[in-house]
Structures are given as structure tokens and as C-alpha cells.
Amino acid sequence: VFQITPPGASPSPHLWAYMAPVAPDAPVPLASHSHMTEAFAHPLAHTGVGKLTVTVVRSLESIGREAWNALWRNSDTPTVFSCYEWMDAWWRSCHEDRDLRIYAAWLEDRLVGLLPTAWPSEARIGVEPVVILGDEHADYAAILVDRALPQAIGVLLDAACRDLPSCGRLLLRDLRDDSACAAQLEIRARGRLDKWCLADVIPCPRASLDTGRAFELAGKESLRRHARKLARAGEVAVHHYRDAPSILPRLDAFFAQHVARWAESEWPSLFNKETNRAVYRALAETLGGTGRLVYTEVTLDGRPVACHFGFLSENDLVWYKPSFDPALAKMSPGEVLIQSLLLWAGDQRLAGLDFTRGGEAFKRRFADEERQALTYAYFASRTTALLHRLKMLIRHLRMRLGPGR
């Protein structure tokens, strides 16, 4: 292990560089990391062809929107939840008491990988995990790596894990099971004594909308019946908004409707917290006008009775945050909202309606395929990892045996 420190710079335990073999003709977007002030190096392999290095960047601006999104578009799962605009919105709203560390992998001067992480304060590092930016708001997370260089995933993971103190853990929530990252972590978590563990699996139903299936689903008799019922109560209209100036003024009513919708349930609305409201406002500001955001309102005599804050991602419409007026629950405005989104997706010739996280029954009425969102945890302490595996095994056995046993 050796250190690379430019003149006048002090070594930092949080900056590492690694070498790994890569193909000489790998297509990667150009970027510059000449602004980096410190780096460490640890030789993993040397082939004479090229090397991967990892540096730690402390701001999104240091990478830049253009370089970030160029890599994002060339990754294997370029969901909206990993683009620069999403990361920027989340960090601006959720940065309090957190430390930003973006692990960036480079092939010479070319950016080929990004692992953006948020670290809890030093006092909370043993209580709260290190997470990927967007955590608990992004339905899918990803380590962005040029699809031609999957070996950069392991290099980035090793760099982040080396920075963890003995009491720390890295939690990678909601990695899509069809990603290269999930495939590599599945291998790492196989060993019984390994520090990597599979922590959670969540179904993600998706309705394919090819060959006119969007209009076929929208024509389901149950949806048509509910649409007729709502229409008998007054004039129904549907509006789809794509830009920030149109969406932002409507969000307060959307938040209030969502709070009212979940007020009597055991799951109170996330919009009871100002931080979450700030995330959605920031998303509207950064994604509005990019073509990746669509906010839908179903109105009855001009009043919103059902709303949806959603995205376009990989030519799918993403079912993200719906709401409806609970006072009109018997008229099923939520069903009218689903029908409206299916019709709009059909008009836009989208490939699918991705319901993302959760296997609720209403999603399975329309879905014809299913992916999974996987959560992996890394524990700096092998003892803690073993205890976590034991806890997961006990929970699994209890589920198989049934309640009370």
C-alpha cells in the first residue's frame, strides 16, 4: 500500500485510489479529475493496459451535471433516481448532519464510475448507516458504472468499505436485481463468514405496455365503471404537467391531500415532515422541464380529487407518489387516476408502467412481470455481520412457521 499526495497536501484516510485491469478500448465519457487535491493508491493489479483509480469528491459540482449524466446514460440501469438532477435535489434537502463522499472511479482522465454516499455525523456513525444519495426516497438505487467496465463496481465498493470505522455499516437499499451491481453483491454475500449480507428483498411489479396493452388495460371494466361513477358527480378533467412553474404551485394541495388520505391509517403521510416536502419541491425544480417528470391531476369541477407525482425512466412511466381525496373514496378517484395514467402512457408510446417497490394487490391487477429491489448491508465488524445473519434467519423461520410459533 502506498500513498500519492500532491505537493503541499496532507494525507487523508478518506481518499484512496485502486488499480484494476481494464480493456484498452472501453468506451467511456471524458471528464477531468485534475481538481482532486489528495489521493491514496493501493495496487490491485497491473497489466500494462491501463488502471482504475478511485478518488473521493466532496461536492456534486466537482463532478458536474454533464459528466455525471454522460456516465448515467451509459450505465446498465440508468433510472431517473440516479441522474444528477435527482441527486442534487435530494442532497440539497437532506444534507443536514451528513457528510457527502462521492467515490469516483477514473480510467486515466475518464470518469467510469460513481458511488455517491451520505455519511452520518461522527457521533452517529455507529447508529446510522452510510447510504447512497437518495436513500429512502429513491425507489431504485445504483452504483453508476460504465457498462463496459463492471469491474469498477468492486473497486468502488472496496474503497467505501475501507473508510468505515469498526462500528460502521454501509447500507445499499433497493438495488434492482437486473443490475451488474446486484449480481456482484450476490456473489459477495454468499460466504457465511462474509461481512456482506442480503438484508431485504422487495417485489417490484411492472406492466408492459407494448403493442397497445396500455389501452387494453385502461379499458378494464372496473376502471370504466369507476370513471363513469365519478363523471356523474360533475365535470371530470385530467391534466399532465411537465415543468416546474406549473407543478410547484400545486404541491401544497397535493401534500395536504396525501396527509388527509393517510391520517386514519397506521402509516402516516411522509409529508408531515418538512424535509420530505422540501425533497419534492426540489425534484420539481431540478427535473421539471427535463422530460423526466410528470405531475398528473384528476379534477372534479376544477378541484383536484386524485394526483400523482411520477417520472419517466427508461421509457417507462414510474408509479411514484399517488394520492386521492379520502372524502370521495367511494367514488374511487384513485382508479380514475390509474386509467388516466395508462391512457397517457399509451399516447406517449411508453414501454411500461413500473409500479416499483411493493407487491400490493392493486398493482398485480395490471402487472405482467416483476423485478426485485435488493438491499445489501456491509458491516465493518464480522461479528456484527454474523449477528445480523442470525437475526435474518430467525425472522425467516418465524415467517415460515406462522404467527404464534
Side-chain angles (χ1 to χ4, degrees), residues 14 58 90-91 94-101 103 116-133 135 160 163-165 167-173 378:
H14 305 306
R58 299 294 181 145
W90 187 88
W91 181 247
C94 302
H95 68 274
E96 189 173 353
D97 295 326
R98 297 178 191 258
D99 180 25
L100 176 62
R101 301 186 193 181
Y103 293 84
T117 60
W119 290 60
S121 63
E122 187 174 345
R124 302 287 298 171
I125 191 66
V127 179
E128 299 176 8
V130 175
V131 297
I132 293 182
L133 263 63
D135 184 66
D163 276 356
L164 286 172
C167 61
R169 62 189 167 111
L170 173 64
L171 190 63
L172 306 179
R173 273 190 256 257
Y378 174 86

Side-chain angles (χ1 to χ4, degrees), residues 132-210:
I132 293 182
L133 263 63
D135 184 66
E136 295 189 325
H137 285 94
D139 282 354
Y140 297 128
I143 298 176
L144 293 182
V145 168
D146 188 295
R147 67 186 70 191
L149 295 169
Q151 60 265 51
I153 295 171
V155 176
L156 288 166
L157 288 172
D158 290 342
C161 292
R162 279 181 178 272
D163 276 356
L164 286 172
S166 59
C167 61
R169 62 189 167 111
L170 173 64
L171 190 63
L172 306 179
R173 273 190 256 257
D174 301 321
L175 300 167
R176 226 167 61 185
D177 63 346
D178 60 346
S179 67
C181 181
Q184 291 198 27
L185 285 171
E186 192 273 332
I187 295 173
R188 288 183 177 226
R190 284 178 184 172
R192 294 182 179 180
L193 299 179
D194 200 277
K195 295 180 179 181
W196 282 100
C197 306
L198 177 63
D200 201 5
V201 179
I202 299 176
C204 301
R206 178 182 179 272
S208 60
L209 302 180
D210 296 332

